[in-house]
Amino acid sequence: FRDFFGRRQPRRREQSLGSGVIIRSDGYILTNQHVISRAEKIRVQLAGNRIYSARIIGADPVNDLAVIKIEAPRPLPFLPMGRSDDLMIGETVIAIGNPFGLQHTVTTGVVSAVGRSLDSGKNSRRNPSDFIQTDASINPGNSGGPLLNIFGELIGVNTAIFRKAQGIGFAIPIDRARRIVDDLIHFGKVRKAWVGIVLQDFRSRLASRVGFP
C-alpha cells in the first residue's frame, strides 16, 4: 500500500485550440470564454507566425465571451465592429478561424436565422438565446473567431455547432458582445444593471393607504 499510494502520478498536460479577433490596435482580442477556460498559459499566434503570450482581461461565462490582451511592439491591425440588428435572412457572411488547427481558414455562407435559442442543459450557466444561425462552415477550432459581413465588419463571434448536423452553426451577435466587451475591458467583469426599484404585491390594505379603490 505504501508503494502504491506513495507514487506520484505524472501531471497531464493538455492543450486546446481556438480562434479570436483583434478588436483594438493595442492588442485586445475577443474570443469565447470556453476557449480560455481554466487555462494556465495562453499563446496567440498571428499571421506571419508571430507568437505572443496573452493575459486574461475578463471573461463572462454566461455569454461565453472573453477578452485577452497581448503586448506587441507596434500597433496591430484590428477589425471594426459592425451591426447585427439589421441582418437579413439570406445575407452573405464570412467565417474565419482555425478549424482543427488549419490556420486562417475562410468559409462563406448565409444568415440562416437570427434570434435562435439553444438548449444548453439544465446545469449550464450560459445564455442560450439570441444567436445568429449560419450555414458557413464552423468546426472545432473556429470558436471565438469572427463572423463578418460582406464589408469586412465584425457582426458576430462564432461559438457553437450542432455536432449531428452539417451547415448549422451559431454566432453571438456583435450588438450583444459590444456591451459585454466594454465591461470586461473597463471592469474585468460584466456589471449587472441595478435600477433601485423594490417590488411588492399591491394588496387591499396598501391600496387604501395610497388612495386607490
Side-chain angles (χ1 to χ4, degrees):
F1 283 102
R2 183 182 304 167
D3 182 55
F4 180 81
F5 288 108
R7 293 178 182 173
R8 299 187 65 179
Q9 298 296 322
R11 186 177 181 182
R12 293 183 57 188
R13 181 180 179 181
E14 296 183 358
Q15 294 181 338
S16 64
L17 179 69
S19 303
V21 53
I22 302 174
I23 55 174
R24 283 180 27 171
S25 62
D26 51 355
Y28 284 92
I29 297 173
L30 175 61
T31 185
N32 283 141
Q33 186 270 343
H34 75 260
V35 170
I36 54 92
S37 176
R38 300 193 300 273
E40 294 183 358
K41 294 182 180 179
I42 302 174
R43 296 196 308 167
V44 173
Q45 182 169 340
L46 304 183
N49 295 324
R50 292 171 294 170
I51 299 178
Y52 297 92
S53 294
R55 59 187 176 92
I56 299 176
I57 299 299
D60 178 30
V62 175
N63 291 283
D64 196 15
L65 291 171
V67 174
I68 60 177
K69 190 175 189 299
I70 60 176
E71 302 296 336
R74 59 184 61 87
L76 297 169
F78 65 96
L79 199 59
M81 291 189 184
R83 295 171 53 188
S84 55
D85 60 347
D86 61 349
L87 292 178
M88 297 182 294
I89 308 301
E91 178 178 342
T92 299
V93 289
I94 304 163
I96 303 178
N98 304 298
F100 301 104
L102 300 172
Q103 298 179 17
H104 309 115
T105 296
V106 178
T107 58
T108 62
V110 299
V111 174
S112 303
V114 294
R116 282 293 195 215
S117 296
L118 301 179
D119 184 5
S120 301
K122 294 181 179 179
N123 299 323
S124 176
R125 298 174 56 191
R126 292 190 172 96
N127 184 354
S129 63
D130 192 30
F131 284 100
I132 302 169
Q133 180 183 331
T134 177
D135 67 348
S137 183
I138 297 174
N139 292 283
N142 273 108
S143 292
L147 187 70
L148 314 175
N149 59 19
I150 59 174
F151 302 107
E153 298 171 330
L154 181 62
I155 59 169
V157 180
N158 300 322
T159 298
I161 58 174
F162 268 139
R163 293 191 181 274
K164 297 181 180 180
Q166 293 183 353
I168 302 180
F170 301 93
I172 300 171
I174 198 60
D175 288 344
R176 172 151 60 100
R178 182 183 288 106
R179 178 185 62 83
I180 296 168
V181 167
D182 289 340
D183 275 3
L184 293 180
I185 291 176
H186 289 98
F187 309 110
K189 63 180 182 180
V190 175
R191 299 201 308 177
K192 296 182 179 179
W194 184 75
V195 182
I197 297 175
V198 178
L199 304 179
Q200 69 179 92
D201 292 335
F202 197 69
R203 303 185 184 279
S204 57
R205 179 179 298 181
L206 178 60
S208 61
R209 188 175 300 174
V210 297
F212 281 91

